[in-house]
Amino acid sequence: MPGHAACLAHLGEDDRAAYLAALSPGADIDHRGTPFTGPLFYSLLRALHDPATGQPHFGAAWFDRAHFSGDAWFAQAQFSGVAGFTHAHFSGDAGFDHAQFLDAARFEGAQFSGIVGFTHAQFSGDARFDRAQFCGDAPFSQALFSSTAGFGGAQFLGDARFDGGQFSGDAWFTQAQFAGAWFDKTQFSGETWFMRAQFSRTVRFVNAEFSGNTWFDGAQFAGITRFTGARFDVMSWFGPVVCAKEVDLSGVLFKVPVTLEIAAREVRCLRTQWESTATLLLRHARADLSHTVLSFPVAVAAHPAPFVSGGRAVDESLLADCDNRVRVVSVSGADAANLVLTDIDLSDCMFSGAFHLDQIRLEGRCIFAPTPTGLHRRHGIWRVWWTRRRTLAEEHHWRAQTAGQPASHHGGGASSRHWRTGPHHPDPGFTPDPDDVAALYRQMRKAFEDGKNEPGAADFYYGEMEMRRHNRTGTPFGERALLTAYWLLSGYGMRASRALGWLALAMMTTILLMMGFGLPNESPKQEATGIVPPGGGKITLQIDKDDPKNPTGNRFTGERFEKALNVTLNSVVFRSSGHDLTTAGTYVEMASRFSEPVLLGLGALAIRGRVKR
């Protein structure tokens, strides 16, 4: 104290009373390092009581390194000058609700052991909370920061609530540590830094508005992170961030071109609005793009290596138990014409309900769900195996529903031997039927064909035919029978091995039938009969040829095999062998000349589908 060798806490009773009596509202005070008990603190507030407002009124107030052993309530107080609480220690609860800081507020390194409230507080000058420690909850709800707000390196061990707050100047949260944090409806008008900030529990930016540049480089989120309904007006780069659980970008509005780098377990983009181009780089994530609004091209890609921030790889230890796959689980309701997917796992992706699906672009190595492996019982004692091909999740869901499979976690099959079940399994009302799935396959096939990937489109053509064959309501019986034959003979013209196998079987059957019934024992001999008129004259010769006779004796000889093979090979290429055949052999040759070239053509068609550029 001026004129004394002791602080306010250690003055004599008379000197302390004289000092307090001399104070008036708006007076400057300096109590740095002073230990305040509850009674001493409140006696100071009474001395600065302003009758006009009914609240304490401070001028410049210096409480650096002061120690408040009890509760300290500065609620509705007014600080006309600098408010200094640097390295102050609050052992109890502290309240600055509705307080007005007309000049700078300095709380660097302050320690709040209990709950501290700044609800509706107004900071007209710089507000500095760098390296401050909040051990209890710290509500800053609807606080107004008119100038720079600094929370760099601050520690929030309880819940930090900034919901409804307004940051008109720059906001610094660099390397801050949060347990839980609420920024719902908070307005950030200046530049905002959350670089290398750490959040241990749920953090919410619901309906927050970011009018200036915002940086989340290296931020770590251990809980769910919600940006639902937030708005970013000028931010061009988001991340890289790491989230152990879910990053929810549902309903977020991005006004300008932006690149997002997110390593998370889940990323939700339901009804997210992209009003310009965007690139979404993901790691480990399961992304949901349902009903996202794509006004411009948006690329979603799997990033092959950990993100880099500040020249160093971002720590992904929060995701140590996750695989490296990036999965998109739904594009339902989105305009796929502006969507580009690169190196994405689409095994569980729902395409039903998407618009312009035939214009989607798939680049890199995009993975679709395969058919189940191994032999499966079907229709009693019959055993079948599914043709290996890429399939859509909707076909899996329909087949699992019709097969009566039990529901499995996250729609994935119990193993590679089962079809994957859908999110609404086994409700048929929410499971696409074959007619719907056929339309999806048709659009995906066109997307591959437009991308000059004819071999890649083959599996989707196969899937489309499969759904048409199984569609008992939209496909007539005759057409289904024709498709069944087409499938059985050549896999819809997509399985060369099947067509060539049938061709080999047909040729062997033709050879056996020719050897057994089609070739006569001996070639018919020609006989000439001459009629010589009496007295000489011209001789007229008549050529007669016996009909071939059915063979007898040993029919399966090498010579007969050679002739039968010759007949069969000529039949494959629509040629007549020229051999004399029995009546049965003639009909066998006619049948083989029709069927075998067809099978040969189907085999060639299947090979062409796999090698076509």
Side-chain angles (χ1 to χ4, degrees):
M1 296 299 298
H4 299 276
C7 66
L8 180 63
H10 296 97
L11 283 181
E13 291 292 337
D14 295 340
D15 291 334
R16 182 186 303 132
Y19 166 75
L20 294 175
L23 292 179
S24 61
D28 296 338
I29 59 174
D30 185 356
H31 295 296
R32 286 174 287 189
T34 301
F36 280 94
T37 61
L40 178 62
F41 170 70
Y42 288 109
S43 64
L44 178 63
L45 292 186
R46 286 192 295 270
L48 296 171
H49 180 81
D50 187 348
T53 61
Q55 304 299 333
H57 183 189
F58 297 85
W62 301 98
F63 291 96
D64 302 343
R65 300 187 184 277
H67 186 187
F68 298 86
S69 57
D71 294 342
W73 297 101
F74 290 89
Q76 298 183 346
Q78 184 181 82
F79 296 85
S80 301
V82 174
F85 290 87
T86 303
H87 295 287
H89 186 190
F90 296 83
S91 298
D93 295 340
F96 292 85
D97 302 329
H98 295 276
Q100 298 183 29
F101 298 87
L102 304 183
D103 206 328
R106 311 295 299 268
F107 287 86
E108 295 103 317
Q111 295 185 28
F112 299 91
S113 300
I115 297 174
V116 55
F118 287 87
T119 303
H120 291 283
Q122 298 182 26
F123 299 87
S124 301
D126 291 347
R128 309 301 306 216
F129 290 85
D130 305 284
R131 300 177 303 283
Q133 185 178 74
F134 301 85
C135 296
D137 293 343
F140 284 80
S141 302
Q142 300 186 37
L144 174 61
F145 298 86
S146 300
S147 188
T148 300
F151 290 85
Q155 295 183 7
F156 295 86
L157 305 183
D159 291 335
R161 305 191 65 101
F162 290 85
D163 42 312
Q166 297 184 31
F167 293 83
S168 300
D170 296 342
W172 294 79
F173 291 90
T174 303
Q175 294 184 319
Q177 299 180 24
F178 296 86
W182 277 259
F183 292 88
D184 297 355
K185 297 183 179 180
T186 304
Q187 298 181 17
F188 298 90
S189 301
E191 296 187 343
T192 307
W193 284 266
F194 283 93
M195 293 187 297
R196 296 184 296 282
Q198 297 183 18
F199 300 85
S200 301
R201 295 200 297 267
T202 298
V203 55
R204 296 170 55 96
F205 291 89
V206 177
N207 294 322
E209 295 185 14
F210 297 86
S211 302
N213 285 315
T214 305
W215 287 272
F216 284 89
D217 303 35
Q220 300 268 335
F221 301 90
I224 297 174
T225 307
R226 300 198 183 281
F227 288 88
T228 309
R231 172 172 174 160
F232 296 91
D233 290 341
V234 299
M235 184 185 69
S236 60
W237 201 282
F238 179 92
V241 300
V242 177
C243 180
K245 294 184 179 179
E246 174 187 315
V247 176
D248 191 352
L249 299 174
S250 300
V252 173
L253 173 62
F254 294 96
K255 298 282 291 184
V256 298
V258 62
T259 298
L260 298 93
E261 295 183 338
I262 302 174
R265 196 177 302 271
E266 293 193 29
V267 176
R268 293 171 59 87
C269 294
L270 278 67
R271 295 178 296 280
T272 303
Q273 301 181 55
W274 315 84
E275 294 195 351
S276 190
T277 57
T279 301
L280 185 56
L281 302 176
L282 302 177
R283 283 184 56 76
H284 311 286
R286 180 178 180 271
D288 189 343
L289 305 179
S290 300
H291 303 283
T292 186
V293 181
L294 308 173
S295 303
F296 289 85
V298 173
V300 181
H303 199 271
F307 298 118
V308 176
S309 176
R312 296 182 299 176
V314 174
D315 181 16
E316 295 184 354
S317 58
L318 292 175
L319 299 168
D321 60 334
C322 294
D323 58 35
N324 291 325
R325 292 183 303 162
V326 173
R327 294 167 292 168
V328 171
V329 297
S330 177
V331 295
S332 178
D335 187 350
N338 288 320
L339 184 60
V340 182
L341 302 178
T342 305
D343 297 331
I344 301 296
D345 186 340
L346 300 172
S347 299
D348 294 313
C349 185
M350 296 285 292
F351 290 96
S352 56
F355 304 100
H356 303 123
L357 189 58
D358 59 326
Q359 300 179 41
I360 193 172
R361 290 177 55 190
L362 303 179
E363 299 181 352
R365 186 170 180 267
C366 289
I367 301 173
F368 290 86
T371 53
T373 59
L375 287 173
H376 299 265
R377 176 177 294 180
R378 189 178 182 185
H379 303 308
I381 64 174
W382 293 104
R383 296 291 190 275
V384 299
W385 66 89
W386 302 105
T387 301
R388 299 300 293 166
R389 58 186 172 91
R390 292 179 293 180
T391 58
L392 297 182
E394 284 82 356
E395 180 180 352
H396 274 260
H397 301 165
W398 174 76
R399 290 190 183 272
Q401 192 267 330
T402 54
Q405 287 184 197
S408 52
H409 185 58
H410 288 311
S415 69
S416 61
R417 292 179 50 83
H418 296 82
W419 296 100
R420 300 166 183 255
T421 59
H424 303 288
H425 183 81
D427 188 348
F430 290 94
T431 302
D433 58 30
D435 199 18
D436 298 327
V437 182
L440 296 177
Y441 271 121
R442 189 177 306 116
Q443 295 180 79
M444 292 297 294
R445 173 172 60 86
K446 184 177 183 300
F448 271 72
E449 291 173 345
D450 291 345
K452 307 304 179 184
N453 186 359
E454 294 283 351
D459 283 346
F460 296 106
Y461 173 75
Y462 192 104
E464 178 188 350
M465 293 296 102
E466 276 285 276
M467 293 299 99
R468 287 177 57 191
R469 183 167 68 92
H470 288 287
N471 185 7
R472 296 183 177 274
T473 57
T475 305
F477 174 79
E479 183 177 343
R480 284 191 284 113
L482 182 61
L483 289 173
T484 300
Y486 193 22
W487 161 76
L488 185 63
L489 292 176
S490 65
Y492 310 111
M494 293 288 106
R495 299 295 180 261
S497 60
R498 191 177 303 181
L500 296 178
W502 280 110
L503 175 60
L505 180 61
M507 292 175 64
M508 289 301 301
T509 303
T510 302
I511 291 173
L512 292 174
L513 290 175
M514 282 296 179
M515 293 175 67
F517 306 101
L519 298 174
N521 278 339
E522 298 178 357
S523 297
K525 296 181 179 180
Q526 299 180 354
E527 295 183 357
T529 302
I531 301 175
V532 180
K538 254 181 152 179
I539 298 177
T540 302
L541 299 178
Q542 183 176 1
I543 306 299
D544 193 10
K545 184 177 180 180
D546 291 339
D547 292 334
K549 299 178 180 179
N550 290 328
T552 58
N554 185 11
R555 307 178 187 185
F556 299 95
T557 64
E559 181 182 357
R560 291 175 64 80
F561 174 78
E562 182 180 355
K563 290 182 179 181
L565 179 61
N566 185 273
V567 172
T568 303
L569 292 177
N570 278 282
S571 298
V572 172
V573 292
F574 275 109
R575 290 184 58 190
S576 175
S577 64
H579 286 279
D580 293 317
L581 304 174
T582 65
T583 302
T586 301
Y587 285 107
V588 170
E589 184 187 38
M590 292 171 60
S592 65
R593 288 180 64 188
F594 171 77
S595 60
E596 291 169 6
V598 171
L599 293 172
L600 179 63
L602 291 174
L605 177 65
I607 295 174
R608 174 61 171 163
R610 290 298 181 182
V611 302
K612 186 177 180 181
R613 289 185 301 171

